[in-house]
Every structure is written in structure tokens, then in C-alpha cells.
Amino acid sequence: MTDSEGLQQRRFECLLTAIDQIVIHLNGAGEVISVNAGSADWLKTDQMISRTFSALFSEDLAGDVSAQIDKAFETHEPQKLTLLMKPEHSFHWHELGLRLTQTWETKLVDVSDTELIWVAKNISQPAQQEQKVVKLSQRDPLTGAYNQRSLMTILKQSVAQAQRYDWVCSVLLIDIDHFSQVNDQYGLDTGDKVLQQFVEAMHAFQRTADFFARYADDRFVMFLPETNREQALLAAERVRKLAQEQCVVGPSGELEFTVSIGTASLRDSQDTPDSLLKRAEENLFIAKQSGTNRIEGDEV
Ligand SMILES: Nc1nc2c(ncn2[C@@H]2O[C@H](COP(=O)(O)OP(=O)(O)OP(=O)(O)O)[C@@H](O)[C@H]2O)c(=O)[nH]1
């Protein structure tokens, strides 16, 4: 690099640090070369490098972003696009740190035939209130975990994507053992406390890429992207141990609990979120029948 090129580069970098927008530099294949997060301090920029940019978006947006890229190269005109980014609809952006629904005004400019700059400005209304409502509709009010509705949205997106790119993924169906006895013996408030403490422990324990939700009553699902059968069994074992280590303090003293877990891993193109959950449920049933505080996975 010559001195003047170095100076240009330095000017460009200084400019980037001064602006609020997300600025992403793409190569001719639409892959991410560099990212400036701007005011999006949640964005895990290092995890974006070398990834195909349009594949980071949910299916309904990926086509529009691809078309935006093609058109910028074709016309050499800046291409504008407004995107409604919902973390529960976009598994990859959730993984990259997006937690609240945002509206982005994006602009894509071709620098040359092999380089693009994509800029996103957050134009969401200062809608704390709206975001609170969205959050409530996505979360279970007792524990704060994602609810079943959010889980199914994420599962649909992620299973479809895993099949398209031939990735593996797994689900853990986790059920607290003899939970109705906890309620009967210690009272509903203590039962609630067990659920809350378990969720708190799981939130501290999960990897950012994992998606954890309350599925029903005393039943939870953990979705593990890029995780095969053996890795899912290892993760399940860690969850089983984590539950066993919990000590809940109720009005009538301390109480411990265990969980049983059924796992299921993506097998073929016929698999759907429902078929994965059904297999996990069958495996959970076997774990319960075999004595609880156990894990059962798919047959090899
Ligand atoms: N405290 C409390 N209890 C709940 C809540 N939601 C559901 N339950 C209770 O959870 C219990 C679930 O019972 P089961 O599905 O039979 O589970 P279990 O007793 O753990 O039985 P196994 O799964 O076979 O070990 C029921 O008694 C529900 O009333 C809740 O939010 N708080």
C-alpha cells in the first residue's frame, strides 16, 4: 500500500468510527469482508466475516437482499431497501446479537465490479413501549424464556435453512421429573420457583447460538444449530447435570430436582420441526420410562 492509499484507508476508518450506521463491506460474491457496527453495539461483527451476506437473512428477506446486491452491480446506482428485522424470524441475526425488532433503512452502493458497501440505519421509532409488547408476545411471562410460538418460528426457519445448506442441527426436549409432586408437596409458588430457577440457570449456561424456550408446563426445548447427535447428547448431559445441581429454597425448606431429556437430530430432507419434536418426545418418553434423570437420543 502506498502512503496515499494508507491515508485514504485511514480516512475511511476514521469516518466509519464517527457514524452510527452499520457499514458492511462485501466482495463480488456477496461475502462479508469487514463490518463496522456503528451504534449497534450488540452486533457480533467477527462472526459475520466471510459469510454470505444474504444467507444471514430469513427466507422472506434473503431474496430481497440478493436482488439488492445484483441490482447494485448491474445498474451502478445506490439501491435502497427497508427491512423489518425481527429476531425471532431471523435465526442468524439472533445469533449475531439482535434481540429487539428494528426497522432498517438500508442502502447498497457498488464501489467497483468486485466490491460493495451496505449501510443500515436504524429508523425504529423510539418505541420502547412497542418493543415491550413484542417482547411480551415472544416470552413466557412466568420465566422470561421464549415461548412456544417464538420457538416454532425459529425452528421453521432454522430447519429449512439447515436442509438447504446441508447443515446438522438438534433439539433437546427437557422435562422436569415428577413436577406435579413438587406442586402437590411444596405448593404452586415453589413449583413456579423451580421453573424460574431452571430457566435462569439455562440462560447463564447456553451458548449464544442456542435457542431456549418454554414449550409447555414443565417442558422446555433447546434448539442447537450445527450440532449433531453425539454433540446433542453431550449438551443434554450438561443440562441434566445443571438441573441436578440446582437447589431451590422454598417456604418449607430446600428442594432439589432432576430432568429427563429426549434429543433428536436432523436426519434427512423429510424432517420437519414437527417430526424432530415428535422424535424428541418419543425419546423423552423412553428416558422417563427408564427411570427419569436420564437422556435418550435417536437410534444410530
Ligand atoms: N407451579 C406451576 N405448575 C405448573 C405450571 N404449568 C403447569 N404446571 C403443572 O405442571 C404439572 C405437569 O405435570 P406432568 O406433565 O404430569 O409432569 P410430571 O409430574 O413432571 O410427570 P413426569 O413428566 O412424568 O415426571 C401439572 O401438575 C401442571 O399443573 C406453572 O406455571 N407453575
Side-chain angles (χ1 to χ4, degrees), residues 64-263:
D64 290 345
V65 173
S66 270
Q68 190 191 19
I69 293 175
D70 293 345
K71 208 148 178 220
F73 275 135
E74 203 180 291
T75 62
H76 307 295
E77 298 280 338
Q79 297 300 314
K80 287 186 184 173
L81 183 65
T82 302
L83 298 172
L84 180 64
M85 299 296 297
K86 295 184 178 177
E88 78 280 16
H89 284 192
S90 178
F91 176 69
H92 290 299
W93 283 97
H94 182 272
E95 194 184 2
L96 291 167
L98 183 69
R99 290 292 180 272
L100 296 171
T101 297
Q102 298 189 350
T103 307
W104 293 347
E105 194 174 77
T106 76
K107 202 187 244 185
L108 184 73
V109 190
D110 69 322
V111 179
S112 71
D113 286 343
T114 54
E115 273 180 64
L116 293 161
I117 297 280
W118 188 90
V119 181
K121 182 177 174 189
N122 182 0
I123 57 160
S124 317
Q125 299 301 320
Q128 288 307 82
Q129 220 36 44
E130 185 196 325
Q131 296 194 334
K132 243 188 212 165
V133 173
V134 172
K135 198 171 168 196
L136 284 177
S137 70
Q138 295 166 353
R139 304 272 182 171
D140 161 46
L142 178 72
T143 61
Y146 281 107
N147 58 23
Q148 193 191 89
R149 196 169 128 224
S150 303
L151 170 77
M152 294 316 288
T153 311
I154 284 284
L155 269 188
K156 263 188 215 149
Q157 299 267 345
S158 309
V159 168
Q161 225 158 14
Q163 277 166 338
R164 185 157 3 105
Y165 297 107
D166 215 9
W167 294 335
V168 286
C169 62
S170 299
V171 293
L172 312 185
L173 183 62
I174 307 159
D175 190 285
I176 299 181
D177 295 324
H178 315 298
F179 184 65
S180 45
Q181 284 176 26
V182 173
N183 277 335
D184 294 346
Q185 252 176 288
Y186 297 87
L188 287 172
D189 284 348
T190 305
D192 285 355
K193 227 171 166 185
V194 168
L195 298 172
Q196 287 164 330
Q197 188 163 325
F198 178 57
V199 168
E200 209 173 296
M202 286 296 290
H203 281 162
F205 158 92
Q206 76 187 108
R207 295 180 311 172
T208 26
D210 302 339
F211 192 87
F212 179 67
R214 185 174 180 194
Y215 188 60
D217 296 352
D218 59 342
R219 206 163 259 209
F220 298 86
V221 167
M222 188 139 159
F223 172 71
L224 308 169
E226 293 167 43
T227 303
N228 64 23
R229 177 187 177 278
E230 284 67 35
Q231 292 163 327
L233 288 171
L234 288 175
E237 178 56 18
R238 290 204 299 275
V239 172
R240 191 193 66 76
K241 280 198 181 134
L242 182 80
Q244 204 172 26
E245 285 160 9
Q246 300 302 310
C247 176
V248 179
V249 183
S252 45
E254 291 181 350
L255 123 93
E256 287 172 358
F257 65 94
T258 59
V259 296
S260 297
I261 305 174
T263 77

